[in-house]
Amino acid sequence: MRVAVIGANGQLGMDVVSETRRAGDEVAAFTHEQIDIASSESIRNTLLAADPSVIVNTAAMHHVENCEREPLRAYEVNGLGARNLAIVARELDAKLIHISTDYVFDGSKGRPYVEDDAALPLNVYGNTKLAGEAFIQATGKKYFILRTSALYGRNPCRAKGGRNFVELMLKLAKERDEVRVVDDEIVSPTSTAELAKQVVLLSRTECYGLYHATSEGNCSWHEFAKAIFEIMDIRVNLKIAAVNEFPMKVPRPKYSVLENGKLKAAGLNSFEGWQEGLRAYLSLHDRGEGLHGDVPSQLADLTHQSPVLQKSGPLS
């Protein structure tokens, strides 16, 4: 099977490329420089030449503040980009696997969201991703839309300068006596390695549709940080950040836990608990195989640069 991976040099894309090759597939890996999903011409020319049977789209404009500053560009990438891919995938009779987000919900439900719950995004990012879902559903034929949450992985996140919450916590623990983390946002931390395995599993099926795809269980960012330090046996004074200590620049859902209901109903849910995914990720440190690439030094600035402590955006 020939698989085209869009955004192959991104945090998730690199793991999808690795997992797809591990499964024995031929991979056409396209970086953000090689293909522009906002351009229908770029999509058409590149994918028609590659002639894949499966297209995996991990590319997106997902820096929340940048989406607010550039809403038109966000719509072009997240909305129209998804439409461009759906049109070409249909022409090729190829399966399209598209990554979406928990930010299509407003967080007011207070319990895990299922696929049939009404979406109500709070910001430009969530709205443009929801538009992308709608375009695929209206235009596509063989598609999988996977909503996921709070991603972290071995490969740096390009849009956020290499930020990774786990690596940031480990770095801060070395540099500071005290670390403060918010506890008023509840998520399901999901490793890109686990999501990549789910992508490959679905690519072997014809169970098309919209799915929630996150690690099982949920926690606050503070609880996530606590688990990181406990697993790594790191002693640090971890405290809950005071209310409004790190003001939110853009509205975000306070509770964005997703239930993998349709994956489970189809017998296709490959995810374990978020703690297992975290342990697997941290075991790489024990083998000297941590984050690929450097975490920028400015990430050590707790007040100004932290992706979670200052709530600058989803880790997708």
Side-chain angles (χ1 to χ4, degrees):
M1 185 161 61
R2 184 170 176 79
V3 180
V5 179
I6 314 298
N9 56 335
Q11 179 177 229
L12 174 60
M14 293 180 73
D15 276 340
V16 170
V17 169
S18 297
E19 194 63 31
T20 303
R21 285 177 173 156
R22 190 175 295 114
D25 295 329
E26 181 183 357
V27 179
F30 298 108
T31 68
H32 297 77
E33 291 73 29
Q34 293 170 320
I35 191 169
D36 178 8
I37 66 171
S39 166
S40 58
E41 181 180 7
S42 176
I43 288 291
R44 180 176 298 279
N45 292 342
T46 303
L47 292 181
L48 290 182
D51 193 26
S53 55
V54 177
I55 301 167
V56 181
N57 179 37
T58 69
M61 183 173 175
H62 54 73
H63 190 290
V64 174
E65 282 79 20
N66 286 347
C67 287
E68 295 292 322
R69 285 189 287 265
E70 302 178 71
L72 180 57
R73 180 58 181 168
Y75 182 72
E76 290 173 344
V77 174
N78 297 337
L80 296 179
R83 177 179 180 271
N84 294 336
L85 287 167
I87 290 173
V88 174
R90 185 168 186 135
E91 290 181 13
L92 290 169
D93 196 32
K95 299 176 181 179
L96 173 61
I97 303 176
H98 176 76
I99 306 302
S100 191
T101 176
D102 55 335
Y103 271 38
V104 299
F105 297 112
D106 67 359
S108 64
K109 184 180 179 182
R111 59 185 187 277
Y113 284 93
V114 297
E115 289 86 348
D116 295 331
D117 281 329
L120 186 62
L122 296 176
N123 51 47
V124 170
Y125 170 68
N127 273 287
T128 57
K129 290 296 286 183
L130 184 60
E133 292 183 8
F135 275 129
I136 291 173
Q137 291 168 323
T139 309
K141 181 182 177 183
K142 301 177 178 179
Y143 64 82
F144 303 88
I145 298 171
L146 306 185
R147 291 174 178 160
T148 194
S149 170
L151 291 181
Y152 64 94
R154 295 178 66 196
N155 308 297
C157 181
R158 296 173 68 258
K160 302 185 179 74
R163 294 174 181 173
N164 172 318
F165 181 82
V166 180
E167 299 297 328
L168 177 59
M169 290 299 102
L170 296 176
K171 183 177 179 65
L172 291 178
K174 291 180 180 178
E175 299 176 348
R176 300 166 185 250
D177 295 328
E178 178 181 296
V179 177
R180 304 186 312 281
V181 183
V182 297
D183 74 338
D184 60 347
E185 289 184 24
I186 309 300
V187 296
S188 295
T190 303
S191 84
T192 53
E194 292 300 306
L195 181 55
K197 292 176 182 177
Q198 185 69 69
V199 166
V200 172
L201 176 60
L202 283 173
S203 73
R204 265 78 179 144
T205 77
E206 296 181 354
C207 299
Y208 306 119
L210 169 66
Y211 293 92
H212 288 174
T214 70
S215 291
E216 296 294 326
N218 60 81
C219 62
S220 69
W221 288 114
H222 180 271
E223 290 169 330
F224 191 33
K226 181 180 179 182
I228 294 167
F229 297 141
E230 287 179 349
I231 292 171
M232 295 300 288
D233 196 22
I234 294 174
R235 295 184 180 181
V236 63
N237 186 15
L238 175 64
K239 291 189 174 181
I240 297 174
V243 177
N244 297 324
E245 184 174 352
F246 304 107
M248 194 181 299
K249 295 180 180 179
V250 179
R252 292 169 174 79
K254 291 288 189 179
Y255 184 98
S256 58
V257 178
L258 306 180
E259 167 61 32
N260 300 345
K262 291 191 175 180
L263 283 177
K264 292 174 182 176
L268 295 170
N269 185 45
S270 66
F271 289 99
E272 297 183 310
W274 64 265
Q275 298 94 334
E276 284 70 33
L278 178 61
R279 289 189 187 95
Y281 176 86
L282 290 174
S283 70
L284 300 174
H285 281 269
D286 294 335
R287 302 198 301 267
E289 302 175 21
L291 186 72
H292 287 179
D294 295 329
V295 177
S297 58
Q298 64 264 32
L299 292 187
D301 188 331
L302 178 66
T303 303
H304 301 294
Q305 294 294 337
S306 167
V308 172
L309 304 186
Q310 195 184 358
K311 303 182 183 178
S312 69
L315 303 178
S316 36

